[in-house]
Amino acid sequence: MPKTILFAGSASQGIKTATDAFPFVPLSLGMHTSSSQFYDSSPRKGAMGGDVVIGGDCQNYYVDCLVALSQEGLEATKDRVKEDTIVLYDNSEVSLEGLGISSKKQIGIDFKAVSNSKFGNLASMGATLKIMGVKPEQKQALEQLLKEKADVDTAAVMAGFDSVAESLDDILDFNNKKSVSFNDSYYLMGNEAAVFGAMAAGANFYAGYPITPSSEAMHKWSEVSQLSDIAGYLQGSSEEHAVGVMLGANAAGAKGWTATSGPGLDRMIEQINWAVTSRTPFVIYNVQRGGPSTGMPTLTQTSDLFTAVYGGHGDHPIFVLTPSTPQEIYEIMKLAFKIAWSYKVGVIINSSKEVSQRKNIVRLCLNDFDDKNLRMLPLKKGHRTGNTANDSGTPANRAAVQWLNDRFNKFEEAYDAFSIADFVNIEAENSQNPYAWRSLPYNIFKNMKFEPAKLKSAPEEVYICYGETVPVVKEALGKNGLVALKSVYPYPISIIQQLNSLGTKKILVAECNRGVRLHSERGQLANKVRQYFKGEVVSLSKWDGFPMYPDRLEEYKE
Amino acid sequence: MITENDLVREAAETWCAGSGKVCSYYNIRKQFLSALSEYMNKHSLSKEDILGISGIGCSGRFTTWQDVVTVHTTHGNAGNTAQGAATAMQLAKKKGLVYVVSGDGDALAIGMSNFQQLCHNNVKATYMILNNGIYAMTAGQTAPTTQQGIETVSAPYGNLETPWDTVSLAIESGATFVARASGYPKESKMLKDILLQSFEHNGTSVIEIMSYCPTQDPVSRKRKLAEAEKEYLKNSVDIKDLKSDLSPKLKYAVLKEELKKESKLIKGLIYCASEKGYAELLLEQKKKAQSAYPGENLKSRISSMLKDKKITSI
């Protein structure tokens, strides 16, 4: 079971600094580590926190160690404390009285005083490192590591380290170093991984409009693209403007993409629809967010499935891919470009805050970054990108419609068969293993044929998940089966139909959205599964903006 | 050698034409193709190097008959589509031309912001606004360029708003080549000359082309092309014939107000300046970025940027 360490405090207390720096210690010891932060939508105000997860891709609700630096931070997170949680708190800022905290291990330290600093964040980080198992004799190695990896005041960290008497856990004992080494791996945020995936796939243009929680993708692209001699970048004046700029570049032979979030995707819909029917390829990296409008900008949701699939007037096919970790974002971005430019279609990647703003290990293939891959594609003489809806009725445009129909027919076969998933406890042939993608040469997709996975056996209870719920369900899966969808649209109908004949009695669909109606049609994907699965379908859904937690999975059932 | 006819793509005509009542778009198209073929021959460009982008309405059909690479966009999105195409082409140092054909409604109502953003970035593109003062294709509703007081189907007691001044708007938005011409036969040479100059201009060019709609003419449904032309020639004055010591921007702003009393419109090449556009500035900035993360190629520069994110063991 992964260990969860939660730094809780208020904005401007350096919670982000501590959450970003801490993981380099377990990472350097060969432990799989990720971190995720929650924060208020008002700058420099409100409670915020950062979960560091050692040994997993998602945090438990009940934490192993809570580090509380402010009263409001503690009050926002106190429910995540259980009896054996270690509560480390700044006793000059925080009082535990009257909060009903059940923890038996409480340690109060004045972190600002011990580190002689305006902030207690780094001292609290030092204290946590010691509590989690770093031994006094390993202090020098720790200091050296932090100097190399984290741009922090190591003296403050060490003062915090010395302020704690003993270790209460042994997870970070340097003598427990794992033999695993993370070759070519970087500790990146999901949004940053999207940028490297795009560039590895040959993307040479980006136009976007900043929107939480996808903005880091724009920030990173604006930095990385300038390292290339060719790649372009533009911050547009709105999502409507930006998506049009991107599609214009693509019409001129660029390989352009954009990043956005739920409300932004809404604003792009008109042109997405146009681009698909006019065969202008594009990739949209959408970090979903609950709406409407401002909605829940700093929280997580997977509620844009319907928008991505059905958004637009008139019929138009589209691909919707769903990464569940930053590594998968990187891989899926590469795949998205391949699909978009092979079939001349649009691909929307539906990620979510919990995946995209999570920092995690991402293995990159640096050889993919080459200006030679970023050249503009040649245009064809007489190529027309038409607005068919507007043009229908004139002879020229009847021809255009025919042209589209011919193209669609060729493409439909592949489209129907398209479904990428990982299977756990389900025996399958032809399944696509996303982790194998990175070791394959880039042009492996050139003649890619999508064949639906052939399932051979499956347990009675099977979970179907996509995006952020995949790692959560994996942690709590037991002997049940799991279909972890990497592509959610076209809908995985072939998989569901096969489960019908393999003796599966119950499908549980875990997703962070509400669905059409609260009771009878709960869960956006669950709705589709109900349509095709003959047995019982149970929706596990949650729409409060906080992620699902593996230790509370049972509670989310309808 | 490319001729005008080589650039014509066969397709049924949708523009109106009748006895004495001919849509001035026909003449605009003729002058445009003549100018384009001349420009292509001069710079040895082929059809794949020319990207034509159109918006909605009757003017949106413009690209249907052109045998170059064409993009017919959705409502109001010609400006941003052109901005992307022009930026990408300039970044790739690709030879060629991006032109946009937009109506007054497309550019100044539904696509106002996109039009302004294109001007603001001053990337190399020629933006033609075909201004007939009305929403023609959709049955004659008020356009952003309809004169105040004109009765339309959507303003049956008269239009209350004043028309936008395309030229002022384009100049203030940042376009570096702004002109007003017309599609009337007697001004064909002027139109073609201005188009040719705009193709050569290294930045965003905006040309407002005053047009006559035979079906939804906002002035009078009975008016014929010749009458409309006569009236236009009487009520317009070439900026070359107006003397002023003011800078080009101020000259237009001041004289426009003075001539308003006489209901006269200023035409000709009104503003032309040489300023770097977004794409050129972006290319220049690459040097600065690449000195922050040095390396001989993209891979080594990214590697240098990612140095502190790399996971290493103790």
Side-chain angles (χ1 to χ4, degrees):
Chain A
M1 204 64 172
K3 291 261 179 189
T4 304
I5 297 157
L6 172 58
F7 289 92
S10 299
S12 305
Q13 278 194 312
I15 298 294
K16 184 179 181 299
T17 308
T19 316
D20 285 349
F22 189 95
F24 277 105
V25 178
L27 284 168
S28 301
L29 292 172
M31 296 173 182
H32 188 105
T33 308
S34 69
S35 68
S36 167
Q37 294 168 22
F38 70 86
Y39 50 97
D40 200 274
S41 57
S42 341
R44 307 182 80 81
K45 268 189 194 161
M48 68 174 292
D51 284 281
V52 176
V53 187
I54 302 174
D57 293 322
C58 63
Q59 55 271 27
N60 280 326
Y61 183 76
Y62 295 107
V63 299
D64 299 281
C65 180
L66 172 70
V67 186
L69 297 183
S70 79
Q71 196 67 27
E72 68 173 345
L74 175 64
E75 285 179 22
T77 53
K78 65 181 168 55
D79 293 344
R80 296 180 65 184
V81 173
K82 56 183 173 168
E83 270 193 11
D84 58 352
T85 301
I86 303 162
V87 179
L88 185 62
Y89 63 100
D90 188 324
N91 57 18
S92 70
E93 293 272 349
V94 176
S95 159
L96 304 189
E97 269 172 48
L99 294 178
I101 287 177
S102 57
S103 158
K104 285 174 187 158
K105 299 175 206 165
Q106 304 175 358
I107 304 165
I109 295 168
D110 185 345
F111 291 118
K112 285 184 293 217
V114 297
S115 60
N116 193 20
S117 155
K118 215 170 129 191
F119 304 103
N121 61 334
L122 295 174
S124 77
M125 181 183 133
T128 312
L129 285 164
K130 188 163 189 186
I131 284 174
M132 298 311 288
V134 182
K135 301 275 179 294
E137 60 270 24
Q138 295 159 343
K139 208 175 133 182
Q140 207 180 352
L142 174 68
E143 196 171 0
Q144 185 62 32
L145 173 70
L146 290 174
K147 269 185 187 149
E148 272 174 32
K149 291 295 161 196
D151 184 20
V152 294
D153 173 8
T154 47
V157 180
M158 291 307 145
F161 186 91
D162 293 335
S163 70
V164 178
E166 53 170 350
S167 296
L168 298 174
D169 203 329
D170 64 352
I171 188 165
L172 293 183
D173 185 346
F174 282 21
N175 298 325
N176 287 344
K177 192 180 158 189
K178 304 283 181 292
S179 58
V180 184
S181 63
F182 301 115
N183 290 334
D184 305 322
S185 296
Y186 300 83
Y187 189 60
L188 298 176
M189 190 184 272
N191 282 330
E192 296 172 331
V195 168
F196 293 112
M199 190 154 268
N204 56 11
F205 196 85
Y206 175 103
Y209 190 70
I211 179 164
T212 309
S214 73
S215 299
E216 291 85 0
M218 174 187 247
H219 305 165
K220 203 67 190 172
W221 180 269
S222 66
E223 195 182 9
V224 176
S225 61
Q226 286 298 68
L227 302 184
S228 146
D229 294 330
I230 300 164
Y233 161 74
L234 181 86
Q235 175 174 338
S237 64
S238 67
E239 282 88 357
E240 290 96 323
H241 175 244
V243 77
V245 169
M246 181 263 278
L247 293 170
N250 292 358
K255 270 177 128 177
W257 69 293
T258 189
T260 190
S261 175
L265 184 69
D266 280 3
R267 298 170 70 110
M268 292 178 178
I269 288 294
E270 184 200 24
Q271 290 170 86
I272 287 175
N273 190 164
W274 169 82
V276 175
T277 48
S278 68
R279 310 292 299 210
T280 309
F282 64 86
V283 171
I284 293 177
Y285 167 72
N286 172 43
V287 185
Q288 302 170 83
R289 110 181 189 195
S293 185
T294 299
M296 304 194 288
T298 64
L299 301 176
T300 198
Q301 282 264 286
T302 58
S303 50
D304 293 342
L305 174 63
F306 285 170
T307 317
V309 172
Y310 302 118
H313 68 280
D315 304 323
H316 69 288
I318 200 152
F319 287 95
V320 183
L321 308 181
T322 46
S324 59
T325 60
Q327 177 72 51
E328 277 183 22
I329 292 179
Y330 170 71
E331 308 292 351
I332 277 179
M333 282 301 284
K334 292 210 273 185
L335 177 66
F337 277 89
K338 197 63 207 174
I339 293 171
W341 267 265
S342 301
Y343 291 119
K344 300 279 182 289
V345 288
V347 180
I348 296 179
I349 292 154
N350 262 0
S351 185
S352 60
K353 185 249 168 193
E354 204 47 33
V355 183
S356 288
Q357 285 197 335
R358 175 174 295 280
K359 287 195 170 178
N360 208 334
I361 302 163
V362 181
R363 190 175 168 205
L364 303 175
C365 175
L366 292 182
N367 285 332
D368 285 342
F369 305 130
D370 191 342
D371 266 333
K372 282 181 198 146
N373 295 339
L374 306 188
R375 289 193 187 129
M376 292 264 279
L377 303 167
L379 290 176
K380 283 184 191 140
K381 189 175 138 187
H383 177 74
R384 307 176 60 197
T385 305
N387 179 353
T388 52
N390 219 13
D391 286 357
S392 58
T394 67
N397 296 306
R398 276 204 290 275
V401 170
Q402 186 56 48
W403 177 78
L404 283 174
N405 283 344
D406 292 349
R407 294 294 190 93
F408 275 130
N409 288 341
K410 278 182 202 161
F411 152 81
E412 229 161 62
E413 224 173 283
Y415 188 68
D416 283 352
F418 183 90
S419 200
I420 304 178
D422 250 358
F423 299 93
V424 184
N425 299 341
I426 295 174
E427 212 184 328
E429 273 177 20
N430 297 342
S431 64
Q432 305 279 342
N433 178 1
Y435 288 97
W437 297 344
R438 77 172 157 257
S439 57
L440 298 170
Y442 172 70
N443 62 6
I444 188 73
F445 303 115
K446 200 172 176 185
N447 299 310
M448 195 170 190
K449 280 186 181 160
F450 297 114
E451 289 175 14
K454 284 182 191 125
L455 307 189
K456 294 168 88 179
S457 69
E460 286 193 355
E461 282 193 21
V462 170
Y463 282 87
I464 294 185
C465 308
Y466 57 99
E468 65 172 75
T469 58
V470 170
V472 177
V473 170
K474 264 187 191 164
E475 290 294 344
L477 190 63
K479 286 179 180 167
N480 296 327
L482 169 64
V483 179
L485 297 173
K486 312 295 169 205
S487 71
V488 73
Y489 192 80
Y491 286 125
I493 294 165
S494 135
I495 293 173
I496 300 166
Q497 283 170 337
Q498 290 182 70
L499 290 173
N500 273 331
S501 54
L502 288 174
T504 297
K505 297 204 166 82
K506 193 199 262 188
I507 289 183
L508 302 103
V509 186
E511 54 195 324
C512 291
N513 59 56
R514 196 167 101 156
V516 182
R517 290 204 300 267
L518 194 51
H519 300 295
S520 60
E521 292 177 5
R522 192 169 132 167
Q524 294 192 4
L525 182 67
N527 266 316
K528 204 69 196 174
V529 179
R530 281 187 198 101
Q531 196 182 328
Y532 288 92
F533 187 61
K534 290 174 184 155
E536 187 188 355
V537 177
V538 177
S539 164
L540 280 82
S541 51
K542 191 170 186 286
W543 51 88
D544 62 354
F546 287 92
M548 285 193 178
Y549 301 98
D551 50 349
R552 294 183 69 178
L553 198 61
E554 283 297 310
E555 296 170 31
Y556 311 134
K557 286 183 186 166
E558 63 182 326
Chain B
M1 184 78 181
I2 288 172
T3 66
E4 289 173 44
N5 286 340
D6 293 337
L7 297 175
V8 174
R9 178 156 48 199
E10 289 301 324
E13 297 288 4
T14 58
W15 290 336
C16 309
S19 167
K21 297 188 78 173
V22 184
C23 177
S24 47
Y25 290 0
Y26 285 106
N27 188 41
I28 297 171
R29 191 173 72 194
K30 189 170 184 296
Q31 301 314 320
F32 171 77
L33 288 180
S34 167
L36 182 62
S37 54
E38 212 172 300
Y39 175 76
M40 287 169 74
N41 288 327
K42 186 179 166 195
H43 294 277
S44 310
L45 297 173
S46 62
K47 291 182 187 180
E48 302 90 277
D49 302 327
I50 311 295
L51 200 67
I53 295 166
S54 62
I56 47 154
C58 291
S59 65
R61 299 288 173 83
F62 204 94
T63 52
T64 310
W65 300 283
Q66 274 143 39
D67 194 23
V68 291
V69 180
T70 59
V71 183
H72 186 175
T73 67
T74 50
H75 305 65
N77 289 309
N80 45 354
T81 308
Q83 189 180 340
T87 309
M89 280 171 76
Q90 262 185 292
L91 289 174
K93 301 190 176 92
K94 219 171 160 179
K95 58 175 187 173
L97 177 72
V98 176
Y99 70 86
V100 191
V101 192
S102 191
D104 44 330
D106 188 47
L108 306 182
I110 197 166
M112 168 80 96
S113 161
N114 291 329
F115 161 66
Q116 288 184 297
Q117 291 297 331
L118 168 68
C119 297
H120 195 60
N121 269 24
N122 192 28
V123 282
K124 184 172 165 40
T126 292
Y127 199 114
M128 291 172 272
I129 299 177
L130 276 47
N131 177 2
N132 55 14
I134 198 87
Y135 282 180
M137 185 190 258
T138 55
Q141 294 89 348
T142 311
T145 46
T146 304
Q147 295 297 318
Q148 199 171 30
I150 294 280
E151 290 171 12
T152 71
V153 292
S154 61
Y157 307 109
N159 175 28
L160 298 174
E161 295 173 351
T162 51
W164 284 96
D165 180 349
T166 315
V167 168
S168 300
L169 200 65
I171 293 174
E172 284 310 311
S173 302
T176 47
F177 180 106
V178 184
R180 183 179 280 132
S182 84
Y184 295 111
K186 286 183 181 161
E187 287 201 333
S188 297
K189 189 180 174 303
M190 181 186 183
L191 174 60
K192 191 183 160 186
D193 286 350
I194 285 177
L195 282 168
L196 273 170
Q197 288 178 67
S198 81
F199 296 160
E200 301 285 353
H201 180 72
N202 189 28
T204 303
S205 315
V206 177
I207 308 164
E208 183 182 31
I209 308 176
M210 308 308 284
S211 321
Y212 158 78
C213 173
T215 307
Q216 305 292 356
D217 187 345
V219 179
S220 160
R221 299 283 189 274
K222 287 181 183 164
R223 206 162 62 142
K224 292 193 170 184
L225 173 67
E227 289 168 58
E229 180 177 42
K230 200 174 158 191
E231 215 169 306
Y232 174 77
L233 294 175
K234 194 180 120 203
N235 291 331
S236 58
V237 48
D238 196 320
I239 195 151
K240 278 194 294 196
D241 303 329
L242 297 168
K243 291 210 165 57
S244 167
D245 298 332
L246 298 166
S247 68
K249 268 188 192 178
L250 280 176
K251 182 179 173 182
Y252 178 75
V254 171
L255 294 177
K256 177 181 89 168
E257 287 306 312
E258 284 178 9
L259 289 166
K260 213 184 236 176
K261 292 165 215 152
E262 302 165 39
S263 299
K264 286 209 168 173
L265 199 63
I266 300 174
K267 64 188 175 185
L269 174 51
I270 292 163
Y271 177 69
C272 183
S274 172
E275 278 169 35
K276 279 178 187 164
Y278 180 84
E280 288 158 291
L281 294 169
L282 194 74
L283 283 172
E284 281 180 18
Q285 200 189 52
K286 285 183 182 289
K287 285 179 203 132
K288 183 182 168 190
Q290 294 178 10
S291 65
Y293 298 109
E296 56 185 6
N297 53 30
L298 181 60
K299 179 189 165 184
S300 54
R301 284 174 218 131
I302 290 183
S303 174
S304 137
M305 191 182 75
L306 283 173
K307 209 172 157 191
D308 62 344
K309 306 270 186 188
K310 194 161 174 27
I311 300 166
T312 46
S313 48
I314 292 175

